[in-house]
Amino acid sequence: MERKHDGHGRDAPRDGHRVMAWADALAAHSDRDGELTLTYCTPAHLACAQAIGGLMREAGFDSVERDAVGNVVGRYRGTAPDAHTLLTGSHFDTVRNGGRYDGRLGILVPIAAVARLAAAGRRPSFDLEVIAFAEEEGVRFRSTFLGSSAVAGRFDTGVLETRDADGISMAEAMRGCGLDPSAIPALARDPSRLIGFIEVHIEQGPVLLGQGLALGVVTSINGGVRRMIEIEGLAGHAGTTPMTGRHDAACAAAEIVLAIETRCAREPGLVGTVGQLEVPNGSTNVIAARCRLSIDVRAPVDAQRDAALADIDREIASICARRGVTWRSDEVMRAAAAPSDPGLMRAWSRALESIGLPAFALPSGAGHDAMMMASLCPQAMLFVRCGHGGISHNPRETIRADDAQLAVDAFVAMLDQLDAAAVARAPDPAPTETGPT
Ligand code: HGY
Ligand code: MN
Ligand code: MN
């Protein structure tokens, strides 16, 4: 394919610009004006799903459907009879006031690749299934990986009764946008029919930017645990209650936040974040009776993460005992660290080298649908350089059109690599039955 640019984005060719324009178009669907916030089963979420389905149809997929959990699934048939399936995709929901490439890039790059193949009348030997996962971030209902857990056969039906901030249950929200929770278990894919799962994702960090590289192969995805901590103290008059002897839930929380930061800063690779911190029904002139905070702890190795969590629990218990407040902890997410499949990593590396790029490898600090899909089949990811210092989960998240172009080139090259491997693996065609001579 003719490329008109010199790699510095001065004149990125068609697919790169098309991916950027599609990302802009999908970003127009938001729960809130003036920012990109797209949460599960809102009207904007449904409109975005429909827009993705439209892009798939225009690209030339053989079938496009919205499944029972709200994933948008495009299938592009392979040439081999009884072909196995390569799964790919990522999520289209976002964090609050998020970026327009997180998740979406892993949907739009494969769509652009299929459009390129369809336009050239080309098909891989295997079936390709591009899945726009309906929910990964866990913003509206705190549960995460809803879309990919359904495909992996790990959907926890218990979450159907969780309620959002307005008291709407997930099951009600799903039915309200035409989904059928009872049909979710049937979405589980048969692992024996799968080649694996590959995911393209914006790096959401500064490593590729620092290396001056457009793309990188992911070695493993950090394992994460998310918890909600509720602290119960004693309300009191802000003006008449002496400072000694207070049971101030907010002060306990403040000590806990800093204890988490101190513990997680002690080891390379370990990260800990309190992203939510609130005094429910608080008043300026009342000592905080309650305080709620979220904890997100991650590490490349589950044991490292769990050791940090055990220390954090001990620290919370000590702080609360000293301050005379009580606490409870609810675990809302636990995702095991997911090493990439070596064979798929090698295929990504060969794909990059085949388009003239170094096969640079790096770990993922962020969580991805690929870690859920790792329970179903082999997985490996491709990262795309993240601009603005690598910032993400922020509207300043950005990529370059020529990097998007290279991502499409690499994706098509990856299909070629997997095709060559499939052909190499394919048993010699059975000798055709020769009739009586
Ligand atoms: O939190 C994460 O790492 C991902 O963006 N859900
Ligand atoms: Mn994200
Ligand atoms: Mn993501």
Side-chain angles (χ1 to χ4, degrees), residues 169-258:
S169 76
M170 183 188 294
E172 289 161 353
M174 292 175 81
R175 289 191 198 96
C177 63
L179 300 178
D180 173 9
S182 68
I184 290 176
L187 299 180
R189 297 305 193 271
D190 171 2
S192 69
R193 304 294 306 153
L194 301 178
I195 295 169
F197 175 77
I198 57 175
E199 181 173 358
V200 176
H201 203 286
I202 185 172
E203 179 201 334
Q204 299 182 293
V207 174
L208 291 175
L209 192 63
Q211 293 284 333
L213 295 173
L215 307 176
V217 181
V218 176
T219 55
S220 71
I221 306 169
N222 281 6
V225 166
R226 292 183 198 172
R227 289 178 177 166
M228 287 309 292
I229 307 293
E230 184 98 22
I231 299 170
E232 197 83 34
L234 181 66
H237 196 296
T240 59
T241 311
M243 289 309 288
T244 49
R246 288 185 174 195
H247 303 292
D248 187 327
C251 288
E255 270 200 79
I256 290 166
V257 173
L258 293 177

Side-chain angles (χ1 to χ4, degrees), residues 7 26 49 71 85 106 122 143 149 154 175 186 196 205 281 303 306 347 370 373 386 399 427 430:
L26 295 186
N71 300 326
T85 300
R122 284 182 53 201
S143 52
S149 67
R154 294 184 55 200
R175 289 191 198 96
N281 306 319
D306 295 343
M373 298 298 282
C386 189
I399 63 168

Side-chain angles (χ1 to χ4, degrees), residues 102 136-137 204 226 298 366-367 393:
D102 177 3
E136 184 263 7
E137 300 284 5
Q204 299 182 293
R226 292 183 198 172
R298 312 185 194 198
H393 282 186

Side-chain angles (χ1 to χ4, degrees), residues 81-310:
D82 194 28
H84 278 48
T85 300
L86 175 69
L87 299 179
T88 187
S90 193
H91 59 97
F92 64 92
D93 68 316
T94 73
V95 293
R96 290 189 182 90
N97 195 17
R100 63 189 57 198
Y101 305 105
D102 177 3
R104 282 97 188 276
L105 197 58
I107 297 164
L108 299 175
V109 165
I111 291 177
V114 166
R116 191 190 293 182
L117 294 179
R122 284 182 53 201
R123 290 178 180 271
S125 60
F126 46 81
D127 291 348
L128 177 65
E129 204 172 286
V130 179
I131 309 175
F133 292 116
E135 193 286 340
E136 184 263 7
E137 300 284 5
V139 171
R140 182 175 178 186
F141 293 103
R142 289 199 197 292
S143 52
T144 58
F145 301 121
L146 281 184
S148 46
S149 67
V151 171
R154 294 184 55 200
F155 185 87
D156 169 13
T157 50
V159 297
L160 291 170
E161 288 321 307
T162 53
R163 294 185 180 275
D164 67 7
D166 299 324
I168 299 169
S169 76
M170 183 188 294
E172 289 161 353
M174 292 175 81
R175 289 191 198 96
C177 63
L179 300 178
D180 173 9
S182 68
I184 290 176
L187 299 180
R189 297 305 193 271
D190 171 2
S192 69
R193 304 294 306 153
L194 301 178
I195 295 169
F197 175 77
I198 57 175
E199 181 173 358
V200 176
H201 203 286
I202 185 172
E203 179 201 334
Q204 299 182 293
V207 174
L208 291 175
L209 192 63
Q211 293 284 333
L213 295 173
L215 307 176
V217 181
V218 176
T219 55
S220 71
I221 306 169
N222 281 6
V225 166
R226 292 183 198 172
R227 289 178 177 166
M228 287 309 292
I229 307 293
E230 184 98 22
I231 299 170
E232 197 83 34
L234 181 66
H237 196 296
T240 59
T241 311
M243 289 309 288
T244 49
R246 288 185 174 195
H247 303 292
D248 187 327
C251 288
E255 270 200 79
I256 290 166
V257 173
L258 293 177
I260 290 167
E261 181 191 47
T262 304
R263 175 60 180 85
C264 293
R266 265 197 345 230
E267 295 169 23
L270 177 68
V271 288
T273 310
V274 174
Q276 290 176 310
L277 177 60
E278 55 177 334
V279 177
N281 306 319
S283 304
T284 312
N285 58 352
V286 178
I287 298 167
R290 287 172 57 217
C291 198
R292 201 170 18 221
L293 62 146
S294 63
I295 300 185
D296 177 316
V297 176
R298 312 185 194 198
V301 177
D302 292 347
Q304 181 189 13
R305 174 201 64 199
D306 295 343
L309 281 165

Side-chain angles (χ1 to χ4, degrees), residues 365-409:
H368 301 288
D369 288 303
M371 65 202 307
M372 175 56 71
M373 298 298 282
S375 63
L376 175 71
C377 59
Q379 66 80 19
M381 296 183 70
L382 180 74
F383 269 174
V384 179
R385 170 168 40 193
C386 189
H388 288 154
I391 195 166
S392 180
H393 282 186
N394 179 305
R396 297 192 66 239
E397 178 184 284
T398 188
I399 63 168
R400 295 162 40 163
D402 53 351
D403 289 355
Q405 174 67 34
L406 288 170
V408 179
D409 294 349

